[in-house]
Amino acid sequence: METVTAKQDRIGARVPHEVYETLCRAAELTGATVNQFLVQSALKEAQAVIEREEVIRLSPRDWNWLLDLMENPPQPNAKLQAAMKHYQDAKQNNADNTFNWGP
């Protein structure tokens, strides 16, 4: 029977003795090893940072405003129409000028 082992990486850090003592005390109070405590704490903070940077939070008022805009978008103005034409022209030019691998 095969056993599957998950790939693990190592992280090391040097810290002042006072920091180490604080980490040891906190780990002991939570019933974890220092390593477990560090990994759990770092992972929780990492997830919070990622969520803070990747998730957009809206108030109910702003959410309703956004939904209304998506359901009833305004008519494109002259600048947007020019940008769309520029994009379509550039896309067409790219399709006509495909890269030639030959000599």
Side-chain angles (χ1 to χ4, degrees):
M1 180 180 246
E2 282 185 45
T3 58
V4 178
T5 57
K7 183 177 187 255
Q8 293 187 339
D9 294 313
R10 178 175 284 283
I11 297 174
R14 296 208 175 268
V15 295
H17 184 70
E18 299 79 30
V19 171
Y20 179 75
E21 290 294 323
T22 302
L23 294 172
C24 286
R25 182 166 180 235
E28 184 179 320
L29 290 170
T30 61
T33 65
V34 175
N35 196 46
Q36 290 169 332
F37 180 80
L38 287 172
V39 170
Q40 290 168 357
S41 299
L43 182 59
K44 186 172 21 172
E45 181 64 20
Q47 290 168 334
V49 167
I50 291 168
E51 182 178 345
R52 199 169 48 241
E53 294 299 319
E54 292 184 351
V55 174
I56 298 172
R57 300 202 187 282
L58 298 174
S59 68
R61 178 186 57 111
D62 291 341
W63 174 248
N64 289 328
W65 172 79
L66 181 60
L67 285 179
D68 184 53
L69 276 178
M70 290 191 297
E71 292 172 357
N72 306 300
Q75 292 296 315
N77 62 21
K79 282 187 175 185
L80 180 56
Q81 289 175 343
M84 289 188 305
K85 181 175 181 350
H86 178 74
Y87 171 74
Q88 293 299 332
D89 292 345
K91 194 164 77 169
Q92 183 62 41
N93 287 341
N94 259 356
D96 294 343
N97 298 323
T98 58
F99 185 74
N100 185 359
W101 287 96

